[in-house]
Amino acid sequence: MGVNACPRCAADVGVDDRFCERCGLDLTLRRAGTVDARPPGACAACGAAPDETDYCGVCGRRVPDGTDHVAADLGRLAGVSDRGYVHARNEDAMAFGLRRDTGVVAAVVCDGVSSTRRPQDASRAAAEAALSVLLNAEPAPVPVPVGAGPEEPRTGRTVRVRPAAARTYQPPESAPGVAEEERLLRRAVGAAAEAVAGLAAVREPDAPSCTLVAALVGSSGRVTVAWVGDSRVYHLDGPASRLLTADHSWAHQQVAAGVLDPAAAMADPRAHAITRWLGADGVPHPDVTTVDAEGGLLLLCTDGLWNYLPDPGDLARIAATADTPHGIAALLTRYALDSGGRDNITVVAIPLPERSPA
């Protein structure tokens, strides 16, 4: 029997082992994402040890938390998340993984709501909580700093448009006609909403909030997607490429109601104001859709990418010039950076299996 090393404790494990005998790690599960990023051990400017904030307590300079650029590659799928050039920190998060025993692949992308406090904590907690439900795994620990550091100016940043009121989301576990994949995704969104709400202090104004989009790919190639907010999922497949989600945003509301055309809606300063989000005062009700999407590429992203490349065909043409999931995610991230990089950028790429010939 072949022998590998446990990725957690480096003990010898058999290629067919389900668990590591030393540390108990589930070896049928592989996961990666923002939570794996590691901060530097000291301030690059003065060498002082970092404290709980985003800034050095000695010289006052910003100390990156390790998430300015995150790249993760599981082979079958990969993702890249980048701070961009304008924001002081990366408020996006990604979490994705696969199960060797069932063939299930899952991915979650979140975008912190920049008009709230500690949006990066919200997106990281939500991504990990949702992925853990989708993969039936224990959640990875998400470090939450005690201090948040100085606030950034909020001009031009994503805002919410619903009145603040505490809301909870209870997924319909036994609604008739609801497929198991949809129930699982709704549970994942509920877990993410609970994780984000738990970050808020009592009566904290502008409590941590984020958007979320999640995708579940079964062994048959059937894809189920859930989303809250304006992060997106595309199915890229040449001329058949399409957007699978519909933004929960002011702009989309205006277009859907026939008030404005897409160009006019997106040109309005209110275009990116979101109408649903996860957070202590959020509206965490997801939309869910299931599609048969054999072949092509499933792409999850935040608006840091689709602001520059909203059209599915344009995304597909650029993605087709790379030949690996990591190459695709890196190439699209680079495109957004070269186009201005005015927002955080997160991209997860999942090639979909082709339908087997009958």
Side-chain angles (χ1 to χ4, degrees):
M1 182 179 68
V3 176
N4 293 324
C6 172
R8 175 188 288 170
C9 70
D12 289 344
V13 293
V15 294
D16 295 322
D17 288 351
R18 290 180 55 86
F19 297 93
C20 173
E21 292 186 359
R22 176 185 292 176
C23 70
L25 180 68
D26 184 351
L27 299 174
T28 66
L29 171 69
R30 297 182 66 201
R31 65 190 295 168
T34 300
V35 74
D36 298 323
R38 293 292 178 262
C43 172
C46 70
D51 58 19
E52 297 93 351
T53 73
D54 295 330
Y55 295 83
C56 177
V58 175
C59 71
R61 296 197 182 186
R62 179 177 175 271
V63 179
D65 64 359
T67 66
D68 281 6
H69 183 86
V70 180
D73 187 358
L74 294 180
R76 172 76 173 79
L77 70 165
V80 174
S81 185
D82 194 278
R83 177 172 63 90
Y85 298 134
V86 176
H87 284 264
R89 63 177 71 88
N90 189 354
E91 297 166 359
D92 285 358
M94 60 182 179
F96 52 87
L98 53 89
R99 293 203 68 98
R100 189 181 68 187
D101 50 351
T102 63
V104 167
V105 174
V108 184
V109 165
C110 297
D111 183 353
V113 176
S114 298
S115 58
T116 66
R117 299 179 184 274
R118 308 193 313 281
Q120 70 278 11
D121 296 344
S123 60
R124 295 168 198 176
E128 288 301 323
L131 183 69
S132 296
V133 172
L134 296 176
L135 294 179
N136 190 27
E138 290 296 320
V142 180
V144 177
V146 174
E151 289 291 305
E152 296 179 71
R154 296 182 180 180
T155 303
R157 307 171 79 205
T158 302
V159 296
R160 303 165 299 181
V161 298
R162 290 290 184 91
R167 298 173 175 89
T168 58
Y169 173 63
Q170 296 296 330
E173 292 292 338
S174 58
V178 176
E180 177 58 31
E181 294 88 350
E182 179 175 340
R183 285 196 292 268
L184 185 60
L185 273 158
R186 291 186 183 276
R187 287 200 298 270
V189 173
E194 183 177 353
V196 175
L199 297 174
V202 177
R203 293 186 296 276
E204 179 181 12
D206 298 329
S209 301
C210 67
T211 71
L212 177 147
V213 67
L216 186 68
V217 182
S219 56
S220 66
R222 190 172 174 86
V223 175
T224 304
V225 174
W227 68 99
V228 176
D230 64 353
S231 296
R232 292 183 172 183
V233 176
Y234 291 86
H235 177 219
L236 304 184
D237 190 20
S241 297
R242 53 184 167 156
L243 174 63
L244 300 182
T245 55
D247 301 339
H248 297 141
S249 67
W250 182 91
H252 181 77
Q253 279 189 341
Q254 301 306 302
V255 173
V259 176
L260 296 173
D261 63 40
M266 291 307 297
D268 192 282
R270 296 166 290 182
H272 288 280
I274 56 175
T275 56
R276 299 188 202 178
W277 62 91
L278 304 183
D281 64 346
V283 184
H285 302 279
D287 282 336
V288 183
T289 188
T290 298
V291 297
D292 290 318
E294 294 86 2
L297 179 85
L298 200 68
L299 187 82
L300 291 76
C301 65
T302 58
D303 59 354
L305 173 64
W306 68 253
N307 274 334
Y308 298 113
L309 280 173
D311 183 75
D314 292 338
L315 282 165
R317 281 189 290 274
I318 294 174
T321 64
D323 56 6
T324 65
H326 178 262
I328 292 168
L331 181 64
L332 291 171
T333 300
R334 173 45 55 188
Y335 183 96
L337 290 169
D338 290 345
S339 298
R342 295 190 58 80
D343 202 351
N344 305 146
I345 307 147
T346 299
V347 185
V348 174
I350 311 171
L352 297 175
E354 298 282 352
R355 183 188 293 270
S356 301

